[in-house]
Amino acid sequence: MGTEEKTEKIGRFLSVCDELVTGSYMNAEGKISEALKDIAACRELTNLFAAVTDGYDYPAARRAYLRPRAGAGVSGRVGAYLPAERQDVLAFVFCLFVEIDAGTVHLGDLLLRYFYVDGSYTASYAVFAGRMIRPFRDIVKECFPEAGKRGQAALARKKREEALAAFAGALPVEERRIMGRELREEERSAGAALFSELIAAAARRDVAEIRALLAGYRYFLRYICAESEESAALFSLADQL
């Protein structure tokens, strides 16, 4: 396997970790499974986690670092900690991921038992991600700095692609809304031209042209008094491009 391919695989794993840190509880179990598959597919990552877990007493660590505090079930009662040693952080979170993926630990139960915030899975997951996954990810990034940079770039590209796809999907909806209004002939002609060019620019992924056309579209909306929550949502999507 060449250096470029190794870096790409490690970058892909780090991108999944980024998504776990910033993502939601609803997607977390799937992302944890994806992260473990990325480890298995990359010899460098497999070797790293084999080294840190060699002889590691995870059951003892789990008893030491996951401790329900008095008043569990009360907002803010967090009873989860990380080891002091960096290699132990990697081993502990990796083993926890394996348990979650295997179903021997249920993520929802883990969150409400050790990361409780207002009985909310969403809020509790945010604490779990910040306290456990973020330091784990950062240590791996430091082990593979070049891959970490590429992973960030790949994640940014993915987010832009997702935003562009959402924007392109929203254009026909907005077009139907506007063209279904009572418009004068010149207004209808201008609107049709704007949407035609916007759809073509989105298909070409030409973000500069999309932004230029949207500047004109904003004035067009004001002229025909058609600004709405729908158009605001379209402009919000464009801001993510």
Side-chain angles (χ1 to χ4, degrees):
M1 184 189 303
T3 302
E4 188 75 18
E5 187 177 354
K6 293 175 187 176
T7 302
E8 182 181 340
K9 286 189 173 185
I10 297 167
R12 187 180 307 130
F13 166 75
L14 290 172
S15 293
V16 174
C17 289
D18 288 339
E19 291 173 358
L20 276 165
V21 170
T22 61
S24 69
Y25 162 72
M26 295 297 294
N27 298 324
E29 289 184 343
K31 290 297 177 183
I32 287 171
S33 178
E34 188 177 339
L36 292 175
K37 289 176 183 175
D38 285 340
I39 291 171
C42 177
R43 185 174 63 186
E44 284 69 27
L45 290 172
T46 301
N47 289 344
L48 172 65
F49 288 104
V52 298
T53 56
D54 184 30
Y56 185 67
D57 189 349
Y58 174 66
R62 198 175 188 284
R63 290 191 297 271
Y65 299 116
L66 294 180
R67 294 176 287 173
R69 297 173 63 177
V74 177
S75 180
R77 297 288 185 177
V78 177
Y81 310 88
L82 280 179
E85 297 297 325
R86 292 158 59 84
Q87 69 180 39
D88 290 342
V89 171
L90 293 181
F92 181 70
V93 177
F94 171 77
C95 290
L96 187 58
F97 277 8
V98 170
E99 281 199 310
I100 292 170
D101 186 53
T104 53
V105 168
H106 296 288
L107 181 58
D109 294 342
L110 178 82
L111 295 178
L112 296 188
R113 185 169 176 80
Y114 301 106
F115 303 90
Y116 187 94
V117 180
D118 296 331
S120 164
Y121 288 119
T122 299
S124 300
Y125 177 75
V127 175
F128 169 67
R131 182 166 290 206
M132 295 281 162
I133 304 177
R134 186 186 299 275
F136 169 84
R137 176 205 62 186
D138 290 347
I139 293 170
V140 178
K141 279 186 178 180
E142 290 171 13
C143 293
F144 305 101
E146 184 58 32
K149 292 176 186 176
R150 293 195 180 193
Q152 289 282 13
L155 182 60
R157 284 195 301 273
K158 181 180 178 182
K159 287 183 176 179
R160 284 196 299 272
E161 286 296 316
E162 289 174 348
L164 187 56
F167 177 80
L171 279 174
V173 178
E174 178 73 353
E175 181 179 21
R176 286 193 294 271
R177 182 180 78 84
I178 296 300
M179 302 308 284
R181 294 169 60 91
E182 290 186 11
L183 300 171
R184 296 196 299 269
E185 187 57 36
E186 63 270 21
E187 293 169 345
R188 185 169 300 279
S189 177
L194 277 168
F195 282 112
S196 176
E197 292 300 322
L198 276 167
I199 290 168
R204 292 194 304 272
R205 294 177 167 80
D206 190 335
V207 174
E209 185 171 353
I210 288 171
R211 288 175 176 159
L213 289 164
L214 283 176
Y217 183 60
R218 191 184 297 274
Y219 283 106
F220 175 73
L221 285 175
R222 291 173 183 170
Y223 179 75
I224 64 171
C225 301
E227 290 179 299
S228 68
E229 291 183 2
E230 291 86 353
S231 61
L234 186 72
F235 287 113
S236 178
L237 284 172
D239 288 339
Q240 300 172 42
L241 300 180

